[in-house]
Amino acid sequence: MKNTLQRVQNRPLRVQSTPRMKRVQPLRVSAFALLAGAALYGPSAVFAQDGAQGFSLEEIVVTARKREEGLQSTPIAITAVTAKALEERGIVQLEDVATIAPNVSFSGIAPISGNPSAAVVYIRGVGQNDFTPVTDPGVGIYVDGVYIARSVGAALDLIDIERIEVLRGPQGTLFGRNTIGGAISLFTQDPGDDPRLTIAGTTGADNRAEVNVAASGKVTDEIGVGFSGLYKQRDGYVLRLQDGLELGNDDVIAGRVKFSYEPTSNFRALLAADYTREDEETAPTVPLAISGTTFPFNTLYNLNNFPGVCITDFMGPGTGTIPASALTNPNCQNEQWVTGDPFTTNETGPSASEVETWGVSLTLDWDLGPAQVKSITAFRALDAFFTRNADGSPFTIFETTDDFNQDQFSQELQVTGAAFDDIFEYVVGAYYFREDGFNTNLVNTSIFNLVSGGGFENTNFAFYGEGTVDLLERVHLTAGIRYTDETKGFTPNQIFVGAPEPLFPAVESEVSFSEWTPRATIGFDVTPDILSYFTYSRGFKSGGFTQRYTGPTATGGPIEFDPEFVDLFEVGLKSEFPDYNLRVNIAGFYSLYEDIQVSFNQPGEANTITGNAAEGEIRGFEVEMAWIPIPALSITGTVGFTDAEYTDVGDGVAGLTTDDEFIRTPKWNSSLGVSYLVSLGQLGSLTPRVDWLYVGDQEFEPVNVDFVAQDAYNVVNTNIRYDAAAVEGVSLTFGVTNVTNEEYFLSADSNPTIQLGEAAFARPRQWFLTLRYDY
C-alpha cells in the first residue's frame, strides 16, 4: 500500500490554474510524414492480371479450428476480415470490429476504471463488464495465438495486421480459457520472401497526427525480419471546465519486431516481440445525473468540507434531510454541476491513464509428414496506472485510482494431422498458463480514504482433442472435448487509511475448478458451394473473488462467486454463388446460460462486486453478405438479432429481476458498406465508400436504470480514396467519421448508493486525411 500511495502522491497532476477553452494547436505531423506516409484506409481496388480494375471476393484462410481451412468450409459462425478489408473500412482499432461483425459489442472504456484502453467485449449477450483481475473476460482476445489475459490494455491499436477472426459462441474446446462468449484472434504479418514496405501518415480533426510504418523481407535465404511501428496523437474531446484539461486524448507509441528462421522446408521458428506505451488523460466520462432533492449518501461526503450547509439532521445512510437552499448552493453537490453536454464536465482531481505492455513469443512449426507440430511459448507483462473522478463536480466526493501490474506465461503444444487417406483430420493439444500481479484500488472521498484490491495468482492447465471424419462423401462429423483445471488465488489488501486494522487479514484465499467442455458438429455439403451445419458446444468461465470492500464480510474474508456455463445449439448455412459474385452466411442459435456472473452494487454499499444471477436463455440469428454485382461495385452487409432474458434469478445479485435486460446486448444490429470504383484513366482511380451502422436499444446496468440506457442509434462513416496511376503504390484518402454527429454511449455506469451516474460518449464528427505508400 505504501508504494501505491507514494506513487499517487508523487505523480504530478496535469491541471492548469485557470480555465481555458479549447484552442487550435499546430499540427504535430510533418509535411514529410504526410507526403511519405499513407492511409491506414488502404486499397479499394483489386487489379486483375489484364490490368482492369475491380473488386473480387477474397478467398480467406482461417485457423478457427487450429488448422488452415477456407472460411466458407469452416462450420463455425465466424467473421474473418483481411488487412485489405480493414483498410478499406478505415478500421484502425480492435474495438471497431463491432462495426462489421454481427451481435458483437466492443468498448475500449471499462466502467468505473478511468482507463480508455480496457476492453469490454460481449458476443451474443455473453461477456464481462468489470476490469479487475479477479473477474475474467467472457470473450478471449488472442494475438498470434497468444492469449491476452487482462482486459486492461486489450483494446489494441491494429498494427501491420494480416487478418482478424471473430468467433461467435463458446470456443471452450480448442481455445478454452475465458472464451465462453467467443474469441477474437489477431494475426500480424510475418516476414515473407518478398520485400514489403508500408508508410502511412494521417492528420485530421483535434490535431490528429499518426504515422504507421511496416517493413519486412529476407536477410538471408533462411532468415527473415519484419518491423512495424505506430505513433499516434490526438487532442481530447471532453473539456474539464474547471481547469481546461481535455479528456479522451490519444498518445500512443507501439512497435513489433519479428524474426523468422527456416533452415529446412519442414521447420520454421518465429520469434516476436512487441511494446506499447500509452500516456493519456483519464477516460472521457461525464456526469449524467445527480440525485435531485434527496441525497441518501453522497451529500454526507460534503459534511467535512461544508458543515451545516449541505445537510442537516443526518441519522445514517438514507435518512438525511436537505434544506431547499442546498439545491442551489454552489458549495453543495447537486444537479447544477451536470452540464447536460456530452463533451464538458465540472470534474477536478487527478487525471492519468498510463499503460505499458510488452511481450515476447516463440512459435516453432515442424512438418513431420503425417503430422504437424506447433509450439507457442509466450511471456507478457502489463503495468498500468489510471484515475477517475466519479462525481463530475469540483468537490472531492468520490475519486478512484488503480495501480495495476500483471505478468503472464503460457505454453501451448498442438499436433495436427490426417489419417486414412485424409478421411480423418485431427488436432490434439496441451495448454499451460500462469499469471500473477496486483491491483490496488484507492478510493478518496471527503470523509474517508480506503485501499482495496490485492494480489492475485492464477494457473490453468488443459488438454484437448478434436477430430473430423467424413462419414459420407458430403457428410462430415466433428467431435472434440477439453479438460480444464484452474486454480485462482487472491490475497486481499483492504484498509481504511488511518484505521488501526485492515478489514480482514491479508491471507491468500484459493479456489479451484475443473470442467469438461465438449463440442460436436455435423456438416452437410448441400452443393460444392453451400455448407450446412449443426453444432452443440459448451463453454465455461471459472469463478473468482470480489476485490472491492467498504466493510468487513460475514465470512471474515473475500466473497467468492461461482463459475458460469453456456450450452449452445447452433444451425448454420454458408453459401457462395460464383456466377453472381455473392456470398451469404447465416447462423441461428439458442443458448442456455447458467450461473451468470454479474458485476453490480449492493444496496447501501458504494463498491462494485460480482455475484451469480441464476439462469438465462439467449436466442437469435446472424446474416453476413458480400456481393459484387459489377466489378466496380462492392456491397457488404450484416444483420444480427439477439433476444436474451433472465429466466430465473436468485439472491446473488441484489435487485435483479427477470424483467431486467442483459447489458450491452441490443436486440437488433446491422451494418451496410458500399464502395464504387471510378476509373480516371491514366490519372488513376477514385473509390468513394459509405459505411452505415445501426445499434438497437441497450442497457448498461444489470439492474436496469433509465438514465444509463442507450436508445437506438445510427452511425455513418464515409471516405474517398484516390489511387495514383503515375506513382504505383501511392494513395490519398479523405474521410469523415460519425457524419451525422450522433451522440451515443461507449460506456455508462450508475451507482445507486452514491446517487451518481456517468457515461463516456463517442467522439463527434471528425475528418481525416491520409497519405499512403505501399511497396
Side-chain angles (χ1 to χ4, degrees):
M1 180 189 73
K2 181 178 179 181
N3 291 338
T4 301
L5 289 173
Q6 289 176 343
R7 186 173 181 178
V8 176
Q9 293 166 355
N10 295 336
R11 187 174 300 269
L13 302 186
R14 282 171 281 180
V15 298
Q16 297 182 356
S17 58
T18 57
R20 65 173 175 86
M21 297 305 293
K22 190 172 182 177
R23 62 184 178 89
V24 177
Q25 298 180 3
L27 297 181
R28 300 173 192 160
V29 60
S30 68
F32 172 80
L34 286 175
L35 293 174
L40 302 174
Y41 306 92
S44 296
V46 175
F47 292 85
Q49 290 182 354
D50 60 4
Q53 294 180 355
F55 296 98
S56 63
L57 292 177
E58 294 182 278
E59 295 296 331
I60 303 176
V61 176
V62 298
T63 54
R65 297 198 294 178
K66 303 295 186 182
R67 56 181 185 262
E68 293 187 350
E69 301 174 287
L71 171 66
Q72 293 302 102
S73 61
T74 304
I76 294 175
I78 175 175
T79 298
V81 190
T82 64
K84 184 177 69 176
L86 293 170
E87 294 163 0
E88 187 176 295
R89 292 166 171 83
I91 293 177
V92 295
Q93 292 179 305
L94 183 58
E95 59 201 84
D96 291 333
V97 299
T99 66
I100 57 174
N103 290 331
V104 175
S105 170
F106 196 136
S107 172
I109 302 175
I112 71 173
S113 69
N115 180 259
S117 64
V120 180
V121 192
Y122 280 72
I123 297 180
R124 295 177 175 177
V126 181
Q128 177 53 250
N129 213 29
D130 204 351
F131 66 91
T132 62
V134 290
T135 55
D136 290 320
V139 175
I141 295 176
Y142 295 78
V143 178
D144 291 332
V146 177
Y147 174 60
I148 308 298
R150 296 295 114 220
S151 61
V152 173
L156 304 170
D157 290 287
L158 301 182
I159 309 173
D160 203 25
I161 296 296
E162 177 193 331
R163 73 182 186 280
I164 297 176
E165 299 177 11
V166 182
L167 285 63
R168 299 185 294 277
Q171 305 299 318
T173 300
L174 295 182
F175 286 83
R177 191 170 196 267
N178 303 331
T179 54
I180 188 171
I184 299 176
S185 293
L186 285 74
F187 298 89
T188 61
Q189 296 278 3
D190 291 341
D193 292 332
D194 298 324
R196 181 176 60 88
L197 172 65
T198 296
I199 305 175
T202 299
T203 188
D206 290 333
N207 291 314
R208 180 176 175 180
E210 296 180 22
V211 177
N212 193 313
V213 179
S216 67
K218 282 293 186 71
V219 177
T220 69
D221 290 341
E222 299 177 347
I223 299 174
V225 178
F227 165 81
S228 58
L230 169 70
Y231 165 81
K232 180 172 73 171
Q233 276 201 341
R234 181 163 49 167
D235 290 347
Y237 62 100
V238 171
L239 180 65
R240 298 208 324 184
L241 297 173
Q242 300 295 315
D243 54 33
L245 280 181
E246 294 172 351
L247 308 181
N249 66 312
D250 295 323
D251 188 347
V252 180
I253 294 176
R256 177 183 294 109
V257 61
K258 283 188 172 183
F259 300 92
S260 64
Y261 175 59
E262 298 182 65
T264 65
S265 60
N266 61 355
F267 175 78
R268 185 184 75 156
L270 187 66
L271 177 65
D274 66 90
Y275 173 82
T276 299
R277 187 234 65 191
E278 303 172 25
D279 187 4
E280 300 164 338
E281 302 294 344
T282 297
T285 54
V286 299
L288 294 174
I290 300 173
S291 181
T293 57
T294 60
F295 296 77
F297 194 48
N298 71 300
T299 305
L300 167 63
Y301 293 157
N302 292 329
L303 275 176
N304 284 8
N305 293 341
F306 315 104
V309 174
C310 295
I311 188 170
T312 61
D313 192 28
F314 181 76
M315 299 298 292
T319 63
T321 60
I322 299 172
S325 61
L327 301 179
T328 56
N329 191 322
N331 291 327
C332 298
Q333 166 75 331
N334 50 49
E335 292 285 357
Q336 67 183 304
W337 298 112
V338 179
T339 68
D341 177 3
F343 307 117
T344 60
T345 176
N346 280 300
E347 74 170 63
T348 56
S351 172
S353 179
E354 302 168 6
V355 178
E356 187 176 43
T357 61
W358 63 274
V360 293
S361 65
L362 177 63
T363 302
L364 306 176
D365 284 288
W366 292 274
D367 186 348
L368 303 180
Q372 293 76 47
V373 179
K374 173 178 282 191
S375 168
I376 305 175
T377 307
F379 175 84
R380 297 199 61 81
L382 163 68
D383 186 19
F385 179 90
F386 40 94
T387 64
R388 157 181 170 260
N389 178 296
D391 54 81
S393 78
F395 310 126
T396 302
I397 295 177
F398 199 86
E399 297 173 352
T400 64
T401 298
D402 278 86
D403 203 353
F404 201 118
N405 178 274
Q406 181 251 4
D407 296 332
Q408 67 174 66
F409 171 81
S410 61
Q411 171 65 55
E412 184 165 10
L413 186 66
Q414 305 167 10
V415 180
T416 59
F420 310 111
D421 294 327
D422 294 337
I423 294 176
F424 177 68
E425 295 182 283
Y426 65 88
V427 55
V428 295
Y431 179 77
Y432 173 78
F433 172 88
R434 182 182 180 90
E435 68 171 333
D436 63 76
F438 67 86
N439 178 205
T440 300
N441 323 119
L442 304 181
V443 180
N444 183 30
T445 77
S446 60
I447 63 169
F448 65 84
N449 296 327
L450 64 87
V451 175
S452 68
F456 59 93
E457 184 174 303
N458 304 324
T459 58
N460 178 284
F461 173 76
F463 60 84
Y464 57 87
E466 185 174 270
T468 300
V469 59
D470 297 332
L471 297 179
L472 299 171
E473 183 179 354
R474 296 195 293 175
V475 179
H476 320 284
L477 176 65
T478 300
I481 195 166
R482 184 186 191 101
Y483 174 76
T484 300
D485 187 283
E486 185 158 8
T487 300
K488 289 189 170 183
F490 176 55
T491 303
N493 182 30
Q494 313 290 326
I495 302 172
F496 270 94
V497 177
E501 298 291 339
L503 297 181
F504 33 83
V507 177
E508 181 179 16
S509 298
E510 190 174 280
V511 290
S512 297
F513 312 94
S514 59
E515 293 292 336
W516 295 90
T517 48
R519 176 166 68 181
T521 300
I522 185 165
F524 176 67
D525 296 325
V526 180
T527 73
D529 296 312
I530 300 177
L531 167 68
S532 62
Y533 65 90
F534 172 79
T535 291
Y536 163 76
S537 63
R538 182 171 175 83
F540 124 90
K541 180 157 71 87
S542 61
F545 302 92
T546 287
Q547 74 165 37
R548 304 182 186 96
Y549 299 92
T550 57
T553 63
T555 62
I559 300 171
E560 300 176 12
F561 56 89
D562 295 328
E564 65 176 17
F565 303 88
V566 167
D567 289 286
L568 168 72
F569 303 87
E570 178 175 304
V571 59
L573 188 71
K574 295 194 167 186
S575 58
E576 191 163 314
F577 306 94
D579 292 342
Y580 301 96
N581 287 319
L582 175 65
R583 179 182 294 161
V584 180
N585 294 337
I586 303 172
F589 57 90
Y590 173 76
S591 298
L592 296 173
Y593 198 1
E594 300 177 1
D595 295 322
I596 306 168
Q597 295 171 8
V598 173
S599 296
F600 68 104
N601 295 103
Q602 286 273 36
E605 297 289 339
N607 55 309
T608 299
I609 68 173
T610 301
N612 296 96
E615 300 176 356
E617 293 182 4
I618 308 172
R619 58 188 67 84
F621 66 85
E622 295 143 356
V623 180
E624 297 180 275
M625 177 271 293
W627 183 32
I628 302 174
I630 59 175
L633 178 62
S634 169
I635 303 173
T636 58
T638 66
V639 176
F641 173 78
T642 304
D643 183 15
E645 63 176 348
Y646 294 104
T647 57
D648 183 29
V649 294
D651 57 4
V653 179
L656 190 71
T657 72
T658 55
D659 293 330
D660 288 309
E661 297 182 7
F662 281 30
I663 65 172
R664 297 182 181 266
T665 308
K667 278 196 173 182
W668 290 98
N669 58 95
S670 57
S671 68
L672 180 67
V674 180
S675 291
Y676 187 77
L677 189 147
V678 180
S679 175
L680 302 178
Q682 295 182 350
L683 296 178
S685 65
L686 286 176
T687 308
R689 179 179 177 89
V690 176
D691 286 285
W692 165 75
L693 172 69
Y694 169 81
V695 179
D697 299 346
Q698 59 181 311
E699 301 288 340
F700 282 84
E701 280 290 343
V703 180
N704 298 167
V705 179
D706 287 344
F707 66 83
V708 291
Q710 172 66 60
D711 293 335
Y713 61 90
N714 298 270
V715 178
V716 177
N717 301 324
T718 185
N719 66 68
I720 183 168
R721 174 188 174 95
Y722 169 69
D723 287 278
V727 184
E728 184 178 352
V730 172
S731 62
L732 182 69
T733 301
F734 175 79
V736 179
T737 58
N738 195 4
V739 173
T740 60
N741 238 3
E742 192 81 358
E743 294 180 0
Y744 59 95
F745 297 157
L746 298 176
S747 175
D749 172 72
S750 75
N751 190 318
T753 300
I754 59 176
Q755 299 287 291
L756 300 172
E758 59 182 339
F761 288 80
R763 279 187 183 264
R765 182 170 48 241
Q766 303 268 288
W767 66 270
F768 65 87
L769 180 66
T770 312
L771 189 64
R772 177 186 180 99
Y773 173 72
D774 288 295
Y775 174 79

